[in-house]
Amino acid sequence: MDVGAGRRGPVGIARWTTRRWLTLGIAVSGVLLLVLGSLGAWALGRTSQLTDEVVRYRSPALINSVRLEAALVNQETGIRGYGLTGRRDFLKPYTEGRADEKTALRALDGLVGTSTEAEDDLRAVRTDVRAWQRKVAQPIAAASARDAVRISADRATDGKQLFDTVRASLAGQQEHLRAARVRAGAELDTAQRLRNWMFTAIALVIAVLMCGITYALRRGVTVPLTRLSAAAREVGRGQFDRQVPATGPADLQQLARDVESMRERLVRELARSEEARTLLDQQAEDLKRSNAELEQFAYVASHDLQEPLRKISSFTQLLQRRYGDKLDERADQYIGFAVDGANRMQVLINDLLMFSRVGRVHDEQTVEVGDCLSNAMDSLSVAIEESGARIDHDELPAVHGDAGQLSLLWQNLLSNAIKFRAPDRAPHIRVTVRQEQDMWRFTVRDNGIGIAPEFREKVFVIFQRLHTREAYPGTGIGLAMCKKTVEFHGGTIAVDPVDGEGTSISFTLPLQPSAQAADSEGSLLR
């Protein structure tokens, strides 16, 4: 079995993408709408053409033919009246009729040009009218009153025949014009019905086309996308065993396959992550147990070492007092070294014991930092008085933490500021505080000997000393304990760069929850 062939995906029309389907649909719709629009335009044009023919040609031609007949009747009436009475005022209808005749003929000349039959009828009417006017109307109208009566009597029979011929020509013309108008009206009615049916069919075709487009989009795009999004949401909610269906056009199928591939990879990664988490939990549990054992060991060892060290120190001093007169100066020096080493070991063990208690023994509550600072100053009152130190501080806030550990934090910071003072001036320590987002930043600035930039990170390492014990006593554990205390309370501590002499150490502590909520509300109000 060819595995590669099974992964080639759809073939033929199933490989068409959404863009290709949309292009085809738009092209087919465009051609169909173009054809329908052309048919609609033809129907509208045909209806407009027939309407113009009826309104602008057929009806006006018939009306002007009737006007021409009325004008000729007026002329005949005027000529007959003048020929019977010899009175010139009877020629007024004739004169007006001539003017109306010219107007009607000019109108007919512009209206019958579209029909050969109408042109022939108008030509026949002109011929018959000219014959009557030349033989009867014009001679009588130009003659005197006496001659007009005579000419009218002599030509009465010819005049009647000629005018009957005119009437017959007009009747034929009007009949033809009336028939043409009826035909044009019938064609107009037919065209209007065809137009209405055509636009109804266009509307139906457009409605069917829209329904087809909607159905095709729903079946080809909306439904596959809905299934894909539903499957993706279920996977996002944690149902990683939910397979993503690949349906619809080729690009949507490819998208679904990509999402399915991502789901499978997530499943694999989650399985590996779960294995790693289980292993990490085991290691964390082992580490927690190991740390607890180490802390317990440090605590027990520090207690158990106290008694041997006291015995060493006590018996060494007893040895010096009892046998001091029998020992030389070098022996006394060795005994002093032993006593000093035992005392320093006892101090170191006490500091280690205190260091191990940070984070292990605590009583969290709302603590006034100012009270912790006051407790530290009370503990250091002798050192402050002997050194002449001056300590200034801002109004300090309340935080959530362990009062004993925070008091020890201030005691270590103030003790270092007093211990590492400059020999030519009394210590001046300034404690400031400011709020930074959801943290309080406390700064302890002194005018002591300072810390070189290259040692700003090393001073927080346990047992790290920058000076000899003879110059500055201590175990090198104070700032390490400060760092552990601050980090246990969720803050950070660092040595800040300073301009001039002295040292600046700043550390952060989180705001109390109520203070954080009030600060957020104030930000929203602003």
Side-chain angles (χ1 to χ4, degrees):
M1 179 178 179
D2 189 358
V3 178
R7 294 185 175 269
R8 291 173 186 170
V11 296
I13 197 171
R15 297 180 60 185
W16 284 22
T17 62
T18 306
R19 182 177 180 180
R20 191 169 183 180
W21 278 110
L22 289 176
T23 302
L24 177 63
I26 291 173
V28 172
S29 301
V31 171
L32 186 59
L33 291 176
L34 180 62
V35 172
L36 294 176
S38 300
L39 292 175
W42 174 83
L44 286 176
R46 179 60 177 167
T47 304
S48 178
Q49 177 185 0
L50 292 174
T51 302
D52 288 344
E53 184 177 354
V54 172
V55 175
R56 296 180 59 183
Y57 296 103
R58 301 304 180 185
S59 293
L62 180 59
I63 292 172
N64 281 282
S65 178
V66 174
R67 289 177 179 174
L68 176 60
E69 182 180 9
L72 292 174
V73 169
N74 287 338
Q75 293 180 34
E76 194 271 337
T77 302
I79 291 298
R80 189 170 62 251
Y82 180 55
L84 292 176
T85 63
R87 293 173 56 183
R88 300 292 299 183
D89 56 338
F90 277 85
L91 286 177
K92 185 177 180 181
Y94 172 76
T95 305
E96 294 176 352
R98 289 298 301 271
D100 292 341
E101 174 194 355
K102 292 179 181 179
T103 301
L105 287 174
R106 281 197 302 270
L108 286 171
D109 286 335
L111 295 171
V112 301
T114 58
S115 175
T116 303
E117 183 183 41
E119 288 182 346
D120 294 340
D121 290 340
L122 182 58
R123 192 178 302 111
V125 169
R126 284 180 187 275
T127 301
D128 294 338
V129 170
R130 289 196 189 100
W132 173 75
Q133 289 177 345
R134 186 174 58 254
K135 292 184 180 180
V136 179
Q138 292 176 356
I140 295 175
S144 60
R146 183 181 298 175
D147 293 337
V149 174
R150 181 180 55 78
I151 295 173
S152 176
D154 293 340
R155 301 183 181 181
T157 303
D158 293 338
K160 182 178 182 306
Q161 293 177 352
L162 291 173
F163 198 77
D164 288 341
T165 303
V166 170
R167 286 179 181 273
S169 298
L170 287 171
Q173 181 191 40
Q174 293 175 10
E175 181 64 27
H176 292 161
L177 291 175
R178 191 174 290 107
R181 188 182 67 173
V182 171
R183 288 195 302 271
E187 292 179 358
L188 176 61
D189 292 340
T190 302
Q192 288 177 341
R193 286 194 298 271
L194 179 61
R195 178 200 62 190
N196 295 337
W197 280 107
M198 190 170 294
F199 275 99
T200 301
I202 290 174
L204 290 175
V205 170
I206 291 176
V208 171
L209 180 63
M210 295 302 296
C211 292
I213 292 175
T214 303
Y215 175 77
L217 287 175
R218 182 178 180 276
R219 184 184 179 93
V221 178
T222 306
V223 171
L225 281 178
T226 302
R227 293 174 179 172
L228 177 59
S229 60
R233 283 194 299 271
E234 292 180 5
V235 173
R237 287 194 292 264
Q239 300 181 14
F240 297 107
D241 56 344
R242 172 72 160 87
Q243 292 187 351
V244 180
T247 58
D251 49 353
L252 293 184
Q253 294 183 25
Q254 183 60 43
L255 176 61
R257 286 192 291 271
D258 293 340
V259 174
E260 175 65 15
S261 176
M262 180 177 64
R263 184 194 67 83
E264 293 175 351
R265 182 173 180 179
L266 281 174
V267 170
R268 292 192 298 269
E269 294 295 332
L270 284 173
R272 285 196 291 266
S273 176
E274 185 65 23
E275 294 176 358
R277 188 185 66 81
T278 303
L279 179 61
L280 185 62
D281 289 343
Q282 294 175 355
Q283 293 176 348
E285 188 65 27
D286 294 341
L287 183 61
K288 183 178 179 181
R289 184 174 58 255
S290 175
N291 287 337
E293 292 174 353
L294 286 175
E295 289 178 356
Q296 186 67 24
F297 171 77
Y299 182 77
V300 172
S302 62
H303 276 76
D304 292 344
L305 287 175
Q306 297 287 336
E307 184 62 26
L309 285 174
R310 279 195 298 268
K311 286 183 179 181
I312 292 173
S313 177
S314 299
F315 281 101
T316 304
Q317 293 175 4
L318 182 61
L319 179 65
Q320 186 180 25
R321 285 195 300 270
R322 176 170 296 184
Y323 301 101
D325 55 345
K326 298 179 181 180
L327 299 176
D328 57 9
E329 182 180 354
R330 184 174 295 274
D332 291 337
Q333 185 180 8
Y334 289 162
I335 291 174
F337 287 159
V339 172
D340 180 68
N343 291 335
R344 286 193 289 108
M345 178 65 74
Q346 190 170 13
V347 173
L348 182 61
I349 290 173
N350 289 332
D351 289 344
L352 279 174
L353 178 61
M354 190 176 301
F355 184 81
S356 67
R357 286 177 175 175
V358 175
R360 184 171 62 88
V361 179
H362 60 276
D363 180 18
E364 291 191 1
Q365 57 185 338
T366 299
V367 179
E368 292 291 341
V369 180
D371 295 341
C372 295
L373 180 61
S374 299
N375 294 334
M377 292 170 62
D378 292 340
S379 300
L380 298 172
S381 58
V382 176
I384 293 173
E385 183 177 356
E386 290 178 350
S387 63
R390 181 163 59 93
I391 302 175
D392 301 327
H393 62 86
D394 294 342
E395 183 179 354
L396 301 179
V399 298
H400 191 72
D402 186 282
Q405 294 182 14
L406 292 178
S407 297
L408 187 59
L409 167 67
W410 285 111
Q411 183 175 334
N412 281 319
L413 292 175
L414 295 180
S415 175
N416 281 347
I418 295 172
K419 181 192 301 183
F420 297 102
R421 62 183 180 270
D424 58 342
R425 55 184 178 269
H428 180 202
I429 305 170
R430 175 66 179 165
V431 178
T432 58
V433 62
R434 69 177 186 274
Q435 182 178 345
E436 294 181 353
Q437 296 180 355
D438 58 346
M439 305 290 284
W440 291 114
R441 177 170 291 278
F442 300 89
T443 303
V444 180
R445 174 69 187 272
D446 61 49
N447 61 344
I449 61 175
I451 298 175
E454 61 269 21
F455 298 116
R456 288 175 182 166
E457 295 293 334
K458 294 182 179 180
V459 294
F460 296 105
V461 179
I462 190 170
F463 301 133
Q464 181 68 45
R465 298 179 55 87
L466 304 182
H467 307 278
T468 63
R469 294 186 182 88
E470 290 75 13
Y472 296 98
T475 60
I477 204 172
L479 288 180
M481 189 178 299
C482 292
K483 184 174 187 294
K484 187 175 182 182
T485 301
V486 170
E487 291 179 347
F488 171 74
H489 284 81
T492 58
I493 188 170
V495 177
D496 298 330
V498 296
D499 295 330
E501 298 176 338
T503 304
S504 177
I505 297 179
S506 65
F507 64 93
T508 59
L509 293 176
L511 273 68
Q512 285 188 281
S514 58
Q516 294 184 26
D519 183 66
S520 300
E521 182 179 358
S523 301
L524 292 175
L525 291 177
R526 288 194 293 272

